[in-house]
Protein backbone atom coordinates (compact mmCIF):
# COMPACT_ATOMS: atom_id res chain seq x y z
CA UNK A 1 0.00 0.00 0.00
CA UNK A 2 1.74 3.24 -1.11
CA UNK A 3 2.24 5.74 1.71
CA UNK A 4 1.27 8.66 -0.52
CA UNK A 5 -2.02 6.99 -1.29
CA UNK A 6 -2.48 6.28 2.41
CA UNK A 7 -2.05 9.95 3.23
CA UNK A 8 -4.48 10.98 0.50
CA UNK A 9 -7.07 8.55 1.80
CA UNK A 10 -6.58 9.71 5.37
CA UNK A 11 -7.14 13.32 4.36
CA UNK A 12 -10.15 12.63 2.17
CA UNK A 13 -11.73 10.20 4.62
CA UNK A 14 -11.89 12.96 7.23
CA UNK A 15 -13.90 15.19 4.89
CA UNK A 16 -17.67 14.90 5.17
CA UNK A 17 -18.40 17.12 2.16
CA UNK A 18 -17.17 14.83 -0.61
CA UNK A 19 -19.80 12.17 -1.32
CA UNK A 20 -17.39 10.24 -3.50
CA UNK A 21 -14.98 9.89 -0.58
CA UNK A 22 -17.68 8.69 1.80
CA UNK A 23 -18.43 5.77 -0.46
CA UNK A 24 -14.69 5.15 -0.77
CA UNK A 25 -14.43 4.45 2.94
CA UNK A 26 -16.43 1.26 2.45
CA UNK A 27 -14.84 0.30 -0.83
CA UNK A 28 -14.26 -3.50 -1.09
CA UNK A 29 -10.56 -2.94 -1.89
CA UNK A 30 -9.82 -0.85 1.19
CA UNK A 31 -9.50 -2.17 4.72
CA UNK A 32 -8.88 0.38 7.47
CA UNK A 33 -6.64 -0.47 10.40
CA UNK A 34 -5.14 1.41 13.30
CA UNK A 35 -6.87 3.77 15.70
CA UNK A 36 -9.92 5.58 14.29
CA UNK A 37 -9.52 3.90 10.87
CA UNK A 38 -6.42 5.91 10.04
CA UNK A 39 -4.33 3.39 8.09
CA UNK A 40 -5.72 2.10 4.76
CA UNK A 41 -4.64 -1.28 3.43
CA UNK A 42 -5.25 -2.21 -0.19
CA UNK A 43 -7.03 -5.57 -0.54
CA UNK A 44 -6.83 -7.57 -3.76
CA UNK A 45 -9.69 -9.81 -4.93
CA UNK A 46 -8.77 -12.80 -7.09
CA UNK A 47 -12.21 -12.98 -8.71
CA UNK A 48 -11.68 -9.49 -10.14
CA UNK A 49 -9.76 -11.13 -12.99
CA UNK A 50 -12.96 -12.83 -14.12
CA UNK A 51 -15.59 -10.27 -13.16
CA UNK A 52 -13.69 -7.26 -14.57
CA UNK A 53 -15.66 -5.14 -12.11
CA UNK A 54 -15.09 -1.44 -12.82
CA UNK A 55 -15.73 -0.63 -9.17
CA UNK A 56 -12.69 -2.75 -8.25
CA UNK A 57 -10.54 -0.72 -10.64
CA UNK A 58 -11.53 2.63 -9.15
CA UNK A 59 -8.83 2.91 -6.46
CA UNK A 60 -5.89 2.02 -8.71
CA UNK A 61 -7.10 4.34 -11.47
CA UNK A 62 -7.97 7.23 -9.14
CA UNK A 63 -4.51 7.29 -7.54
CA UNK A 64 -2.67 6.39 -10.76
CA UNK A 65 -1.05 3.34 -9.14
CA UNK A 66 1.60 1.65 -11.27
CA UNK A 67 3.77 -1.44 -11.23
CA UNK A 68 6.66 -3.01 -13.07
CA UNK A 69 7.71 -6.66 -13.40
CA UNK A 70 11.43 -7.39 -13.58
CA UNK A 71 13.31 -10.62 -14.34
CA UNK A 72 10.23 -12.84 -14.17
CA UNK A 73 7.04 -13.60 -16.05
CA UNK A 74 4.30 -13.36 -13.46
CA UNK A 75 1.17 -13.44 -15.58
CA UNK A 76 -1.10 -13.98 -12.59
CA UNK A 77 0.38 -11.00 -10.74
CA UNK A 78 0.02 -8.86 -13.86
CA UNK A 79 -3.62 -9.91 -14.27
CA UNK A 80 -4.45 -9.21 -10.61
CA UNK A 81 -2.88 -5.74 -10.67
CA UNK A 82 -4.45 -4.80 -13.98
CA UNK A 83 -7.87 -5.89 -12.72
CA UNK A 84 -7.41 -3.50 -9.78
CA UNK A 85 -6.63 -0.47 -11.90
CA UNK A 86 -2.82 -0.55 -11.79
CA UNK A 87 -1.00 0.28 -15.01
CA UNK A 88 2.31 -1.28 -16.04
CA UNK A 89 5.43 0.80 -16.67
CA UNK A 90 8.68 -0.13 -18.39
CA UNK A 91 11.09 -2.30 -16.33
CA UNK A 92 13.65 0.52 -16.40
CA UNK A 93 11.20 3.14 -15.13
CA UNK A 94 11.70 4.63 -11.67
CA UNK A 95 8.12 5.95 -11.49
CA UNK A 96 6.16 3.07 -9.97
CA UNK A 97 4.38 2.02 -6.78
CA UNK A 98 5.12 -1.71 -6.86
CA UNK A 99 8.07 -3.65 -8.25
CA UNK A 100 7.55 -7.38 -8.68
CA UNK A 101 10.90 -9.04 -9.29
CA UNK A 102 12.03 -12.63 -9.67
CA UNK A 103 15.35 -12.01 -7.94
CA UNK A 104 16.65 -10.28 -4.84
CA UNK A 105 17.49 -6.61 -5.07
CA UNK A 106 20.92 -5.28 -4.30
CA UNK A 107 21.18 -3.11 -1.16
CA UNK A 108 21.99 0.04 -3.15
CA UNK A 109 18.74 -0.37 -5.14
CA UNK A 110 16.71 -0.79 -1.96
CA UNK A 111 18.18 2.45 -0.63
CA UNK A 112 16.85 4.35 -3.66
CA UNK A 113 13.23 3.38 -2.99
CA UNK A 114 10.88 6.12 -1.90
CA UNK A 115 8.33 5.69 0.89
CA UNK A 116 5.61 5.19 -1.74
CA UNK A 117 7.37 2.27 -3.44
CA UNK A 118 7.08 -1.38 -2.45
CA UNK A 119 8.92 -4.52 -3.58
CA UNK A 120 8.07 -8.20 -3.17
CA UNK A 121 11.39 -9.25 -1.61
CA UNK A 122 12.96 -8.37 1.70
CA UNK A 123 16.77 -8.24 1.74
CA UNK A 124 18.33 -11.66 2.38
CA UNK A 125 14.99 -13.49 2.49
CA UNK A 126 16.89 -16.40 0.95
CA UNK A 127 18.14 -17.06 4.49
CA UNK A 128 14.82 -18.87 4.90
CA UNK A 129 14.08 -20.05 1.36
CA UNK A 130 17.43 -21.68 0.51
CA UNK A 131 17.75 -25.08 2.18
CA UNK A 132 21.43 -24.64 3.03
CA UNK A 133 20.91 -21.24 4.67
CA UNK A 134 17.79 -22.42 6.51
CA UNK A 135 19.76 -25.41 7.84
CA UNK A 136 22.61 -23.19 9.02
CA UNK A 137 20.20 -20.76 10.69
CA UNK A 138 18.39 -23.57 12.52
CA UNK A 139 21.75 -24.86 13.78
CA UNK A 140 22.57 -21.33 14.96
CA UNK A 141 19.24 -21.10 16.80
CA UNK A 142 19.89 -24.50 18.43
CA UNK A 143 23.18 -23.18 19.78
CA UNK A 144 21.53 -19.94 20.95
CA UNK A 145 18.26 -21.24 22.43
CA UNK A 146 18.94 -24.93 23.00
CA UNK A 147 18.58 -28.03 20.86
CA UNK A 148 15.21 -28.98 22.33
CA UNK A 149 13.61 -25.67 21.37
CA UNK A 150 14.62 -26.07 17.70
CA UNK A 151 14.52 -29.83 17.25
CA UNK A 152 12.51 -29.44 14.06
CA UNK A 153 14.52 -31.28 11.41
CA UNK A 154 16.24 -34.68 11.15
CA UNK A 155 20.00 -35.07 11.27
CA UNK A 156 21.32 -33.16 8.27
CA UNK A 157 24.67 -32.54 6.56
CA UNK A 158 25.73 -29.97 3.99
CA UNK A 159 27.89 -31.61 1.34
CA UNK A 160 30.63 -31.57 0.27
CA UNK A 161 31.76 -29.47 3.26
CA UNK A 162 30.47 -31.98 5.85
CA UNK A 163 31.11 -35.14 3.84
CA UNK A 164 33.43 -36.67 6.48
CA UNK A 165 30.85 -36.09 9.23
CA UNK A 166 28.14 -37.64 7.07
CA UNK A 167 30.23 -40.75 6.37
CA UNK A 168 30.86 -41.13 10.10
CA UNK A 169 27.10 -41.04 10.81
CA UNK A 170 26.41 -43.36 7.88
CA UNK A 171 28.75 -45.97 9.35
CA UNK A 172 26.48 -46.01 12.43
CA UNK A 173 23.15 -45.84 10.59
CA UNK A 174 23.14 -46.82 6.92
CA UNK A 175 19.94 -45.14 6.09
CA UNK A 176 18.10 -44.58 3.91
CA UNK A 177 19.06 -40.90 3.50
CA UNK A 178 17.39 -38.26 1.36
CA UNK A 179 19.37 -35.87 -0.88
CA UNK A 180 18.12 -32.41 -1.89
CA UNK A 181 19.65 -29.56 -3.92
CA UNK A 182 20.17 -26.48 -1.75
CA UNK A 183 18.40 -24.04 -4.09
CA UNK A 184 15.69 -25.96 -5.90
CA UNK A 185 11.93 -26.40 -5.50
CA UNK A 186 8.95 -28.60 -6.37
CA UNK A 187 10.88 -31.78 -5.60
CA UNK A 188 13.33 -31.33 -8.45
CA UNK A 189 16.62 -33.18 -7.97
CA UNK A 190 15.49 -35.03 -4.82
CA UNK A 191 16.46 -38.70 -4.45
CA UNK A 192 17.07 -41.39 -1.82
CA UNK A 193 20.38 -43.16 -1.24
CA UNK A 194 21.64 -46.09 0.84
CA UNK A 195 25.35 -45.52 0.23
CA UNK A 196 27.56 -42.39 0.12
CA UNK A 197 28.91 -43.60 -3.21
CA UNK A 198 25.53 -42.79 -4.76
CA UNK A 199 26.02 -39.07 -4.06
CA UNK A 200 27.41 -36.61 -6.58
CA UNK A 201 29.63 -33.99 -4.93
CA UNK A 202 29.82 -31.67 -7.93
CA UNK A 203 27.45 -29.14 -6.33
CA UNK A 204 26.24 -28.23 -2.86
CA UNK A 205 23.53 -30.55 -1.55
CA UNK A 206 21.78 -31.39 1.70
CA UNK A 207 21.67 -34.96 2.96
CA UNK A 208 19.15 -35.71 5.72
CA UNK A 209 18.23 -38.84 7.59
CA UNK A 210 15.07 -40.25 5.99
CA UNK A 211 12.19 -40.50 8.47
CA UNK A 212 10.92 -44.08 8.37
CA UNK A 213 8.07 -43.65 10.86
CA UNK A 214 6.37 -40.34 10.03
CA UNK A 215 2.90 -39.26 11.12
CA UNK A 216 0.42 -40.89 8.73
CA UNK A 217 -3.24 -40.49 7.80
CA UNK A 218 -4.74 -43.93 7.11
CA UNK A 219 -1.20 -45.17 6.31
CA UNK A 220 -0.64 -42.39 3.77
CA UNK A 221 2.18 -39.85 4.02
CA UNK A 222 1.06 -36.25 3.85
CA UNK A 223 2.16 -32.70 4.38
CA UNK A 224 0.34 -29.48 5.21
CA UNK A 225 1.36 -26.04 4.01
CA UNK A 226 0.31 -22.74 5.55
CA UNK A 227 0.94 -19.53 3.66
CA UNK A 228 2.01 -16.34 5.38
CA UNK A 229 2.78 -12.83 4.21
CA UNK A 230 5.48 -10.91 6.07
CA UNK A 231 5.06 -7.17 5.58
CA UNK A 232 7.55 -5.98 8.19
CA UNK A 233 10.43 -7.36 10.22
CA UNK A 234 10.72 -4.46 12.66
CA UNK A 235 8.11 -4.53 14.04
CA UNK A 236 7.38 -8.11 12.98
CA UNK A 237 4.05 -8.20 11.10
CA UNK A 238 2.82 -11.51 9.66
CA UNK A 239 -0.50 -12.27 7.98
CA UNK A 240 -1.65 -15.90 7.92
CA UNK A 241 -3.76 -16.93 4.93
CA UNK A 242 -7.03 -18.50 6.10
CA UNK A 243 -6.75 -21.46 3.73
CA UNK A 244 -3.88 -23.89 3.32
CA UNK A 245 -2.71 -26.74 1.15
CA UNK A 246 -2.70 -30.42 2.06
CA UNK A 247 -0.89 -33.05 0.00
CA UNK A 248 -1.37 -36.80 0.37
CA UNK A 249 0.80 -39.56 -1.05
CA UNK A 250 -0.78 -41.73 -3.74
CA UNK A 251 0.22 -45.03 -2.10
CA UNK A 252 0.31 -46.34 1.43
CA UNK A 253 3.55 -46.48 3.31
CA UNK A 254 4.23 -50.05 4.46
CA UNK A 255 7.12 -52.24 5.48
CA UNK A 256 7.47 -53.48 1.90
CA UNK A 257 7.76 -50.03 0.38
CA UNK A 258 10.72 -49.65 -1.94
CA UNK A 259 12.92 -47.14 -0.10
CA UNK A 260 14.40 -45.87 -3.35
CA UNK A 261 11.05 -44.54 -4.51
CA UNK A 262 9.86 -41.10 -3.54
CA UNK A 263 6.20 -40.51 -2.72
CA UNK A 264 4.01 -38.75 -5.26
CA UNK A 265 1.61 -36.31 -3.64
CA UNK A 266 -1.88 -35.32 -4.68
CA UNK A 267 -2.77 -31.75 -3.76
CA UNK A 268 -6.02 -31.06 -1.95
CA UNK A 269 -7.15 -27.43 -1.60
Amino acid sequence: MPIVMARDLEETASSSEDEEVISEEDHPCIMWTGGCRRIPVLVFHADAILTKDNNIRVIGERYHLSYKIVRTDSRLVRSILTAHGFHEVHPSSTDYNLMWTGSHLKPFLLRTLSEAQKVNHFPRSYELTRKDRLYKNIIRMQHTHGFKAFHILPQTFLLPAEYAEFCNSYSKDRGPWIVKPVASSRGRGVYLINNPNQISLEENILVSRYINNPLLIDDFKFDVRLYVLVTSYDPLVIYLYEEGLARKCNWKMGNTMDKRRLPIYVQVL
Side-chain angles (χ1 to χ4, degrees), residues 89-250:
V89 298
H90 192 272
S92 62
S93 174
T94 59
D95 184 15
Y96 61 89
N97 297 101
L98 172 66
M99 178 198 303
W100 193 275
T101 175
S103 60
H104 296 275
L105 296 180
K106 300 297 183 182
F108 75 90
L109 289 176
L110 291 169
R111 296 188 188 101
T112 65
L113 297 178
S114 71
E115 60 179 359
Q117 294 177 314
K118 307 297 181 183
V119 296
N120 64 320
H121 282 294
F122 279 103
R124 298 180 66 88
S125 59
Y126 57 81
E127 294 286 346
L128 294 177
T129 57
R130 281 182 60 104
K131 297 179 180 65
D132 55 344
R133 297 306 308 156
L134 177 62
Y135 160 65
K136 287 293 187 180
N137 285 318
I138 291 177
I139 295 299
R140 182 169 58 86
M141 297 303 286
Q142 289 176 347
H143 291 159
T144 304
H145 300 285
F147 178 80
K148 186 177 181 180
F150 280 85
H151 183 37
I152 58 177
L153 80 167
Q155 186 179 22
T156 300
F157 300 93
L158 179 60
L159 304 188
E162 299 175 345
Y163 184 74
E165 293 89 335
F166 165 64
C167 290
N168 183 53
S169 292
Y170 168 78
S171 64
K172 301 173 183 176
D173 183 356
R174 301 202 169 192
W177 297 75
I178 187 167
V179 179
K180 299 180 180 181
V182 298
S184 188
S185 61
R186 302 196 298 273
R188 293 172 297 181
V190 179
Y191 59 96
L192 298 179
I193 59 104
N194 288 295
N195 192 301
N197 295 331
Q198 298 173 275
I199 298 176
S200 172
L201 300 178
E202 295 180 357
E203 57 183 0
N204 290 337
I205 56 174
L206 279 184
V207 180
S208 301
R209 192 181 301 277
Y210 188 78
I211 300 176
N212 286 312
N213 58 340
L215 179 65
L216 303 175
I217 296 180
D218 296 330
D219 295 328
F220 289 98
K221 293 188 68 175
F222 72 98
D223 62 27
V224 176
R225 296 184 179 186
L226 300 178
Y227 294 91
V228 299
L229 171 64
V230 180
T231 59
S232 172
Y233 282 133
D234 186 16
L236 183 61
V237 179
I238 301 176
Y239 294 89
L240 173 64
Y241 187 55
E242 293 180 348
E243 299 183 12
L245 175 68
R247 301 190 306 166
K248 189 178 74 171
C249 184
N250 68 337

Side-chain angles (χ1 to χ4, degrees), residues 62-80:
R62 178 174 300 162
Y63 293 97
H64 308 289
L65 300 181
S66 60
Y67 72 94
K68 69 176 183 178
I69 296 180
V70 181
R71 292 189 291 275
T72 186
D73 182 23
S74 300
R75 288 177 291 178
L76 178 59
V77 173
R78 180 179 281 109
S79 298
I80 285 285

